[in-house]
Amino acid sequence: MGLPEITNINGKLNFDELGINAKDIDASILGGPASFHLQTAADQTISINANGDATGVGIQQFTSNPITEAMTGSTSWTADIAIKKPVMNLSIKSSLKGLAINLPAPLGKTGAQEANLTATKKQTVEKQDRFDISYGDIASAIILRQEKNGDLAFDRGDIGINIRAKIPTTSGLALRGKFDYLNADEWLALTSAPKGKSNAASGINLTSAELSIKKLDIFKRSLHSLKVSAIPSDEHLRMRLTSQEVDGDIEWRSPSKTEETGEIIAKLSKLHIPAGKDSESVKDTDEDIEKLDTQYPALDIQVDDFKLGKKALGKLELTAHEIKDDWVIEQLKISNPDNILLAEGRWHNWTRNPNTNLTFSLTANDVGNTLKRFGQADVIKGGIALISGQLNWPGSPHQFNTKGLHGKFRLGASKGQVIKVKPGVGRLFGLLTLQSLPRRLTLDFKDLFSEGFAFDEISGAATINNGVMHSDDFFMTGPAAETEIKGDIDLNKETQHLNVKVVPHISDSLSLAALAGGPIAGVAAFVAQKLLKDPLNKIAQSRYTITGTWDNPIEAEAEIEKKDSEPTNSPLNAQ
């Protein structure tokens, strides 16, 4: 690093065979006025004492980097320089008061705050020197230079944030930091801001980083007890992460001919993504959907233990890459002992009508445990199921919203039991228990439903249009009854309008016991049940309409056409 440009020099300089001397030399440097005093000692050491003001713009013209580009305002400074060829020593000090550094914590400061900056250059021999830099109690650095090709050039260095820098022993630049709290989202926002021009041509690149962070906020989520070991290079960034939420290795590969947006490769033993901030839970359903300027890297991610919030989902495998304006999800696989979820799709990041398409299938060998993993415990016991379909929504994958959701899917399940739950807990699953419907049945068989609904088979298909799900063929059958459900479920408003038909199964023994008024009546019931093909089931069938919200469904007996309500001709009606 050279010296900043000095202009508008004005003053009287005296020199003779013994050296040079000057007082009150005025000049402009670093965008502000300055004053210099020069004196030559008996050993020919030239001492320069200077003071002045520096502006953010002036500093940026001298050296441009993310830190200097964040500077605004001005501050005073002092400098002492000692030159005795071929060596030079200097010391620069400033309180930085008046100069704002518009960066996130811990480096940022307001103009009113003081943060003592000290930079010293020590040189005892011609071919090497040392810089010591400190910024308040926040950061420090030690830089060592060696002669290369006739000039002093960077050899090795160490930067400490919230810990003191140490004398580096290996080549390259090391960064070490210790933080009680760090907001990575604020720092990442700087990467999307317009870049100022950079004249940094030192060729100094970070070669290693060791960070310890008690709490890190990133992507509006928090990580705790995080330790990061990183080894950057021109083409790679390799990191080892350890925290309460994530553990494993991540590699970033720079853009190449095969992956123009770069690639992230992650092999993690665990990835527990915490729930987002409260502000994340309520999305603006009316946000404008438009083409995003963001380019997404290719992904190759494997996680042995994947959690989303409190949902333990199992093993995650994800591969994706970008092709022009499409981001292609080649495979998304989430697997565990209870189920396997497979998906593939595309995000069309188009100027007109950007959208995401996803094709999926979920195979569950234990429906109850699968729902428990997805946060719906004690809803279904046992059961096997397959659900498959396609979904489409406006915008990118992370802009998923039910308001513009379209799609279709088919469901098949068998050999399980819908457990008796409160609607507010099981939401729509609570409707399937039919626990409140039997009391309105023509014949009272509440004991068949009191602990839920055992099913032999569930089948159905549904379409989704702007977040409203519609089905005309949802069927559920079990030992107790057959159920048919038709209607709409509004995923946006969390409401429903469903027409339910329930046909209880009245077995041979039940028909005899329930209708027995004596041996003759019991035999008559049994014979009628067989000869007339289950007339009791037809008599007992009921129709209901379910409206209201998911948490508070409103059930009412549906009006039945007269022909359906007339008594069935059977020997049981003949008295």
Side-chain angles (χ1 to χ4, degrees):
M1 179 184 293
L3 294 174
E5 182 182 11
I6 303 174
T7 60
N8 301 323
I9 301 173
N10 184 33
K12 185 177 181 181
L13 181 67
N14 300 313
F15 61 91
D16 54 27
E17 68 276 4
L18 299 178
I20 59 174
N21 295 276
K23 288 185 178 181
D24 299 325
I25 301 293
D26 296 326
S28 296
I29 184 173
L30 296 176
S35 178
F36 295 85
H37 305 280
L38 289 78
Q39 184 176 357
T40 302
D43 63 354
Q44 297 300 301
T45 298
I46 300 174
S47 298
I48 303 174
N49 306 110
N51 62 81
D53 293 329
T55 67
V57 174
I59 296 171
Q60 292 157 15
Q61 291 174 343
F62 168 55
T63 178
S64 179
N65 56 61
I67 295 178
T68 61
E69 287 293 328
M71 294 179 176
T72 58
S74 64
T75 189
S76 59
W77 55 269
T78 61
D80 295 302
I81 304 172
I83 303 173
K84 185 178 182 181
K85 290 185 177 181
V87 301
M88 179 183 74
N89 293 281
L90 64 83
S91 174
I92 301 173
K93 296 181 180 181
S94 174
S95 69
L96 298 183
K97 187 173 183 179
L99 185 73
I101 302 178
N102 301 305
L103 290 174
L107 299 184
K109 64 175 289 294
T110 66
Q113 291 176 313
E114 293 188 5
N116 293 326
L117 175 68
T118 300
T120 61
K121 175 183 178 293
K122 298 178 180 179
Q123 185 178 19
T124 57
V125 296
E126 179 181 1
K127 295 185 178 182
Q128 63 182 34
D129 63 8
R130 165 178 168 171
F131 284 88
D132 288 78
I133 304 169
S134 64
Y135 173 54
D137 296 327
I138 300 170
S140 60
I142 298 175
I143 306 295
L144 303 181
R145 299 194 303 175
Q146 294 278 359
E147 183 185 44
K148 293 180 182 179
N149 301 321
D151 294 318
L152 288 173
F154 173 82
D155 180 56
R156 57 192 186 274
D158 185 80
I159 300 173
I161 300 177
N162 293 323
I163 55 176
R164 297 297 301 176
K166 62 182 183 181
I167 298 175
T169 56
T170 58
S171 60
L173 181 62
L175 171 65
R176 297 176 301 114
K178 188 175 182 180
F179 306 86
D180 288 334
Y181 172 75
L182 185 65
N183 191 319
D185 289 325
E186 293 179 351
W187 284 97
L188 289 172
L190 296 177
T191 64
S192 61
K195 304 290 192 303
K197 66 177 182 178
S198 174
N199 57 20
S202 62
I204 302 176
N205 295 314
L206 197 65
T207 53
S208 67
E210 297 283 341
L211 304 177
S212 176
I213 308 168
K214 289 185 178 180
K215 181 181 178 182
L216 174 74
D217 279 352
I218 183 167
F219 303 134
K220 298 184 179 180
R221 287 167 171 80
S222 298
L223 302 179
H224 300 85
S225 302
L226 175 65
K227 294 185 182 299
V228 181
S229 298
I231 302 177
S233 67
D234 291 339
E235 297 181 354
H236 299 273
L237 172 61
R238 294 184 174 91
M239 294 187 293
R240 171 71 186 174
L241 305 180
T242 302
S243 75
Q244 295 178 13
E245 295 83 7
V246 61
D247 189 286
D249 299 301
I250 298 178
E251 179 182 356
W252 157 256
R253 294 182 179 178
S254 299
S256 62
K257 291 182 179 179
T258 56
E259 298 295 349
E260 296 181 356
T261 57
E263 183 178 15
I264 294 176
I265 300 173
K267 311 293 182 184
L268 306 176
S269 61
K270 70 176 179 181
L271 175 60
H272 299 172
I273 300 178
K277 306 299 181 183
D278 292 340
S279 59
E280 275 272 282
S281 61
V282 180
K283 294 185 178 181
D284 182 3
T285 57
D286 294 323
E287 66 175 314
D288 292 334
I289 301 299
E290 57 187 16
K291 177 182 173 68
L292 299 182
D293 293 333
T294 304
Q295 289 186 316
Y296 283 69
L299 299 178
D300 183 356
I301 297 175
Q302 295 184 21
V303 183
D304 294 331
D305 176 15
F306 177 55
K307 283 186 179 181
L308 188 60
K310 295 182 179 180
K311 302 175 181 67
L313 301 181
K315 185 176 181 180
L316 168 68
E317 300 172 64
L318 172 63
T319 55
H321 65 280
E322 191 171 68
I323 300 179
K324 295 183 179 180
D325 288 337
D326 284 359
W327 196 62
V328 181
I329 302 172
E330 300 173 29
Q331 175 182 288
L332 170 63
K333 181 179 180 181
I334 299 176
S335 57
N336 55 65
D338 302 313
N339 62 82
I340 298 176
L341 172 65
L342 296 173
E344 61 181 17
R346 283 188 177 235
W347 165 31
H348 303 297
N349 191 23
W350 300 337
T351 301
R352 294 185 60 186
N353 188 32
N355 65 91
T356 298
N357 285 303
L358 200 67
T359 300
F360 71 93
S361 68
L362 175 65
T363 303
N365 54 46
D366 191 314
V367 178
N369 287 343
T370 296
L371 291 173
K372 183 177 180 180
R373 289 180 180 274
F374 283 95
Q376 294 292 341
D378 300 324
V379 173
I380 289 181
K381 180 180 179 180
I384 59 176
L386 171 63
I387 179 172
S388 61
Q390 298 85 38
L391 297 175
N392 174 275
W393 62 89
S396 66
H398 71 268
Q399 291 175 306
F400 175 85
N401 196 294
T402 58
K403 184 174 183 179
L405 182 64
H406 293 78
K408 59 182 180 179
F409 66 89
R410 175 164 287 279
L411 164 69
S414 61
K415 305 302 181 183
Q417 181 179 11
V418 183
I419 300 174
K420 182 176 181 179
V421 294
K422 295 180 180 179
V425 177
R427 292 203 165 183
L428 288 180
F429 291 105
L431 301 176
L432 301 184
T433 65
L434 307 175
Q435 49 193 283
S436 61
L437 298 183
R439 68 175 179 270
R440 301 190 181 96
L441 294 176
T442 305
L443 300 176
D444 187 359
F445 300 116
K446 289 187 292 186
D447 58 304
L448 298 179
F449 298 88
S450 59
E451 297 303 323
F453 185 95
F455 61 86
D456 294 322
E457 183 179 359
I458 296 177
S459 65
T463 59
I464 305 173
N465 187 18
N466 287 322
V468 177
M469 185 166 62
H470 177 80
S471 177
D472 283 325
D473 61 348
F474 182 92
F475 296 96
M476 180 167 60
T477 182
E482 292 182 0
T483 303
E484 176 183 341
I485 301 177
K486 299 181 179 182
D488 298 321
I489 296 175
D490 193 322
L491 303 177
N492 306 305
K493 299 178 181 178
E494 298 189 356
T495 61
Q496 65 275 321
H497 189 285
L498 301 174
N499 297 308
V500 181
K501 175 183 176 183
V502 181
V503 182
H505 286 170
I506 304 175
S507 65
D508 299 344
S509 59
L510 182 58
S511 64
L512 292 174
L515 301 177
I520 297 177
V523 172
F526 178 79
V527 173
Q529 181 79 346
K530 292 303 180 182
L531 295 180
L532 301 180
K533 297 181 180 180
D534 296 337
L536 295 180
N537 289 339
K538 296 179 181 179
I539 295 172
Q541 75 177 24
S542 301
R543 299 176 186 267
Y544 299 90
T545 299
I546 302 177
T547 57
T549 67
W550 294 358
D551 289 334
N552 297 291
I554 300 172
E555 302 156 16
E557 189 169 1
E559 294 184 2
I560 304 176
E561 296 180 8
K562 184 176 180 180
K563 66 179 181 179
D564 292 334
S565 61
E566 292 178 350
T568 304
N569 292 325
S570 83
L572 295 179
N573 292 322
Q575 298 294 335

